[in-house]
Amino acid sequence: MARRAMSLLPQWSSRVFSVELDGAPHYFAIQEKHRGEEAPWVFRKAQNCERCFSLLVCSSDRIRRAKFYGELGDKLLRHLSPGCDLSPMSSFLPNVKDSLVKGYFVKVNSESSSPTERLLRDLIQHDPVLVCSYLRGEDSQLWTQHQWTDSQLVEVSKGYYVVPSEAPEYHPSALNIINSDVFYSFEEAYEVLKQCGDIIPEAKSVLELLPSRAETRSKPDFPVIVIEGLDATGKTTLTESLRDTLGAALLRSPPQCLSPWRACFDQEPPLIRRAFYALGNYITAEQIGQQGMKTPVIVDRFWHSTAAYAIATAVSGPLCNLPAEGSEVYRWPSDLLQPSLVILLTLDPEERKRRLRNRGQGKTDEEQELDHNQLFRLRVEEAYRRISGPACISVDASPSADQVLQQVLLLIRGKCHL
């Protein structure tokens, strides 16, 4: 199994490795000869460890690869000894699209070294995972990488030396977003859920709800206004007020018909979870098309939310790691109905937290992440602003609900002539 995994990772010595620590990627590379470089930061942080391991999931089947990546993380968390430290990692060819391979990095102390090795040997017998061990030399600054195959430690050219690597021009995940974290066509998202049918029975139920096909449509007779924003920015209050004031239909994305399966798909890996929510937008678009022939339509969240959260989750670290403004990852899907106007409600972070506390409702994992990870919140907000076709118009949601309503009505009347 390990030999087959290795065959799926060409140009091994040209690859860069990224380990997520403290919410940001840290990079290292390998080379056959050591030229006096100091140990990469990841390994300087591991000076109290006897050795480290990397596990990279290498299946050629992307559905299996996504499922196994999640299952591997759960298995490692359950079975690794208390003295081990587990971090997400990846391997990629710098600035090469779709070369990203995900996995985990394990730091091990002397007491937990033997049980960890037994666990990893068992893994590579049956699963599509490539294991490498990292051994510290007599000089504490010198670490070497060794590949495992068929439960044996194999030295390749007596191991590769581990050396620092500069950050690539693009965050590794930024080149892997299209039709993986964010979907840009009905067919791409549909194909993922279709392939899940044998392993996720609920996928078949979701597919039965979908329109027969998505196609580029002319705009409905009446305007379509989307209201976006983080939780507790006042979306529900505003959308209901707009419905009543304009005599409009009010729709939500994801649509209510997907509610029975959301908990199931929220537990799936990103590829499958994001495809599920992408298809929810196409169901909402079908509903918009029907309602928009009779009345204006207000939509509580739409594709902007789906894309912004996915991009901000995939790309870790500071804002500069996001794909540049104007990147193709921010483009609107060509086969998805475009709204007439998109309003983004913004709110001071402390005020938003105060409102969340007053609501006392349970939070999604992403909302919990927004609360304790400022960088994640900033990435979500910036991704919202960079999505085009149409772009969001920001509205300050801190005034009273009536003042916000009046400001949004002015925008609607100016843009949509209502």
Side-chain angles (χ1 to χ4, degrees):
M1 181 62 73
R3 285 199 182 97
R4 290 201 297 275
M6 186 63 210
S7 69
L8 295 171
L9 288 180
Q11 299 177 265
W12 181 253
S13 60
S14 300
R15 285 183 166 268
V16 172
F17 303 84
S18 168
V19 178
E20 292 282 333
L21 294 172
D22 302 321
H26 297 272
Y27 302 100
F28 68 90
I30 56 174
Q31 60 190 30
E32 292 186 7
K33 294 184 179 180
H34 195 260
R35 303 182 180 90
E37 297 92 344
E38 66 176 353
W41 187 84
V42 168
F43 293 90
R44 296 201 301 274
K45 291 277 287 184
Q47 289 304 315
N48 295 327
C49 299
E50 181 175 283
R51 64 174 56 191
C52 302
F53 298 93
S54 62
L55 300 87
L56 297 170
V57 180
C58 303
S59 172
S60 58
D61 181 333
R62 68 173 183 160
I63 302 298
R64 187 181 180 210
R65 186 168 68 241
K67 286 286 287 181
F68 179 68
Y69 173 74
E71 292 165 0
L72 176 62
D74 292 340
K75 188 182 295 185
L76 291 171
L77 286 172
R78 285 197 310 271
H79 296 296
L80 282 175
S81 302
C84 296
D85 186 19
L86 182 68
S87 303
M89 78 168 296
S90 62
S91 168
F92 59 95
L93 296 170
N95 307 328
V96 175
K97 286 186 177 182
D98 299 324
S99 67
L100 184 73
V101 178
K102 292 183 178 181
Y104 299 95
F105 188 78
V106 184
K107 291 187 285 188
V108 182
N109 61 24
S110 56
E111 291 80 14
S112 53
S113 180
S114 295
T116 300
E117 287 193 27
R118 286 195 296 270
L119 171 63
L120 300 186
R121 284 195 181 97
D122 179 62
L123 281 174
I124 65 175
Q125 290 294 316
H126 312 288
D127 297 317
V129 58
L130 174 65
V131 176
C132 292
S133 61
Y134 300 82
L135 310 178
R136 185 172 57 190
E138 292 181 6
D139 177 354
S140 62
Q141 291 297 310
L142 194 64
W143 287 75
T144 52
Q145 179 200 72
H146 302 266
Q147 300 160 7
W148 285 28
T149 178
D150 297 336
S151 79
Q152 300 297 319
L153 179 61
V154 175
E155 292 188 353
V156 181
S157 302
K158 295 185 178 179
Y160 286 101
Y161 291 101
V162 177
V163 296
S165 175
E166 292 184 359
E169 181 182 357
Y170 301 103
H171 184 286
S173 294
L175 296 172
N176 202 59
I177 285 174
I178 293 178
N179 295 324
S180 178
D181 295 286
V182 183
F183 290 87
Y184 297 85
S185 75
F186 175 88
E187 293 299 334
E188 289 285 352
Y190 180 91
E191 191 60 30
V192 169
L193 252 63
K194 182 180 177 182
Q195 292 175 26
C196 291
D198 292 337
I199 55 176
I200 307 174
E202 293 83 355
K204 295 179 180 178
S205 300
V206 173
L207 293 177
E208 291 173 359
L209 296 175
L210 297 176
S212 56
R213 70 180 189 276
E215 55 189 26
T216 303
R217 303 173 187 276
S218 57
K219 284 189 177 295
D221 293 340
F222 288 86
V224 178
I225 299 105
V226 174
I227 307 298
E228 293 280 4
L230 307 182
D231 276 7
T233 51
K235 293 189 306 302
T236 300
T237 300
L238 176 61
T239 53
E240 291 177 353
S241 296
L242 288 171
R243 175 196 61 196
D244 297 340
T245 304
L246 299 173
L250 174 56
L251 299 173
R252 291 182 172 84
S253 187
Q256 183 65 32
C257 63
L258 290 185
S259 294
W261 298 285
R262 286 186 66 178
C264 167
F265 282 93
D266 281 344
Q267 301 304 311
E268 294 297 333
L271 174 70
I272 298 168
R273 183 170 73 251
R274 301 303 183 189
F276 169 78
Y277 282 108
L279 291 171
N281 286 322
Y282 287 95
I283 295 175
T284 298
E286 189 82 359
Q287 296 171 348
I288 292 170
Q290 296 168 0
Q291 293 291 334
M293 296 303 171
K294 302 175 288 186
T295 180
V297 180
I298 309 298
V299 190
D300 186 340
R301 287 188 167 172
F302 198 35
W303 191 80
H304 283 75
S305 286
T306 309
Y309 277 89
I311 293 167
T313 301
V315 179
S316 58
L319 288 180
C320 62
N321 285 352
L322 286 175
E325 197 161 354
S327 165
E328 59 184 343
V329 306
Y330 302 117
R331 75 177 190 271
W332 190 269
S334 60
D335 62 356
L336 183 64
L337 183 146
Q338 290 189 14
S340 315
L341 177 65
V342 181
I343 302 292
L344 174 64
L345 298 179
T346 62
L347 196 61
D348 175 79
E350 292 306 314
E351 171 62 15
R352 197 182 74 85
K353 286 183 180 180
R354 186 190 67 78
R355 292 186 184 183
L356 279 170
R357 285 195 298 270
N358 290 343
R359 290 201 319 193
Q361 295 177 347
K363 302 175 188 176
T364 64
D365 290 344
E366 286 176 334
E367 281 299 322
Q368 291 175 353
E369 182 74 1
L370 283 171
D371 278 358
H372 77 259
N373 187 335
Q374 181 186 17
L375 281 177
F376 179 63
R377 177 179 57 79
L378 292 173
R379 293 196 304 271
V380 171
E381 292 175 340
E382 186 59 29
Y384 265 126
R385 295 186 183 102
R386 293 185 183 184
I387 293 170
S388 59
C392 296
I393 297 177
S394 296
V395 169
D396 180 10
S398 57
S400 69
D402 188 61
Q403 288 175 297
V404 173
L405 172 63
Q406 295 308 315
Q407 186 178 354
V408 171
L409 285 172
L410 282 175
L411 286 170
I412 292 173
R413 286 164 185 150
K415 297 279 186 180
C416 305
H417 310 295
L418 280 179

